[in-house]
Amino acid sequence: MIGAGIEHGDLLVIKKGLEPRNGKITVCFIDGKFSVKRIKIEKDVIWLVAENQKYNFFGNRRRTK
């Protein structure tokens, strides 16, 4: 998340259970690992976007209601 000002070794304080909101930063548990991504919401899909250009991974998860 270097592009968002979060550097390696920074300490993050996490509030669990918040509703995902477009443009906000989130901590995700994907494939057995924690990852910090920015949320991008489009219609019925939530995208998890890396802020570091070194990682161009985009994860998506269907939104459930």
Side-chain angles (χ1 to χ4, degrees), residues 8-19:
H8 180 75
D10 285 354
L11 181 65
L12 302 177
V13 177
I14 310 301
K15 185 170 183 177
K16 192 175 173 181
L18 294 176
E19 188 71 25

Side-chain angles (χ1 to χ4, degrees), residues 27-61:
V27 175
C28 309
F29 192 69
I30 303 171
D31 297 329
K33 297 179 183 177
F34 286 100
S35 184
V36 180
K37 303 287 184 214
R38 186 170 301 276
I39 299 172
K40 182 175 181 183
I41 300 174
E42 293 180 350
K43 296 184 182 179
D44 63 343
V45 178
I46 297 176
W47 295 91
L48 303 173
V49 182
E51 288 282 335
N52 186 341
Q53 291 180 347
K54 183 178 172 183
Y55 303 101
N56 53 358
F57 168 84
F58 292 85
N60 65 2
R61 304 284 187 255

